[in-house]
Amino acid sequence: MPEQSFLEQRLDASTWPIAVGDLVALLAFLFVGTLEHSTVEEIQAEPSLYLIVAGPFVLGWLICAPLIGAYSPGGGSAPNSSIPLAIRSWIPAVLIALVIRVVALPARGAEPVFAAIMLVGGAVVLAIWRFLYFQIA
């Protein structure tokens, strides 16, 4: 049997429901955060407001989650392995997103309070989603 590549070791096709749920949970979290600073009418009139907020964090997640193993065979086996993998993936994803915001969107910035809310809030949302997934799966 040929040796698996790094990404093949990190990606298990059976974890796709978790991956979809992760993205939905993160997008919902980011939408709620966007609503804290904008109205639904403003977002409907200018959807790019939401894309500017969510984009860097989704990109950070899409880079970090597979590399760290959030969708590895162990990532989809039980909550006691799945939840820590999600949190370990979220931390560098937020760091990447904050760097993107500072470099590409300097007007948006990366205040320490915002960074803390994103780190803690996203980790909690991912943990709750994954816990619920294993309760219903």
Side-chain angles (χ1 to χ4, degrees):
M1 177 179 226
E3 190 175 316
Q4 289 183 315
S5 71
F6 177 77
L7 273 181
E8 287 173 331
Q9 294 172 11
R10 295 285 192 245
L11 297 173
D12 180 3
S14 69
T15 62
W16 73 265
I18 296 172
V20 170
D22 286 347
L23 281 175
V24 169
L26 288 174
L27 289 171
F29 168 67
L30 293 163
F31 187 73
V32 169
T34 304
L35 285 176
E36 290 293 319
H37 304 282
S38 305
T39 65
V40 172
E41 292 78 21
E42 289 172 328
I43 296 169
Q44 286 175 332
E46 193 166 342
S48 64
L49 290 172
Y50 175 62
L51 295 176
I52 287 169
V53 171
F57 293 96
V58 170
L59 180 61
W61 179 255
L62 293 175
I63 291 169
C64 295
L67 292 176
I68 292 175
Y71 306 117
S72 64
S77 61
N80 62 345
S81 60
S82 181
I83 293 170
L85 281 168
I87 293 169
R88 283 196 304 260
S89 299
W90 181 242
I91 294 168
V94 170
L95 296 176
I96 288 170
L98 294 174
V99 168
I100 291 170
R101 285 175 61 95
V102 167
V103 172
L105 307 165
R108 291 291 190 185
E111 297 295 322
V113 170
F114 174 73
I117 289 168
M118 294 309 297
L119 276 168
V120 174
V124 168
V125 165
L126 286 165
I128 291 170
W129 147 245
R130 285 186 174 216
F131 176 79
L132 292 173
Y133 171 81
F134 286 103
Q135 294 303 307
I136 60 175

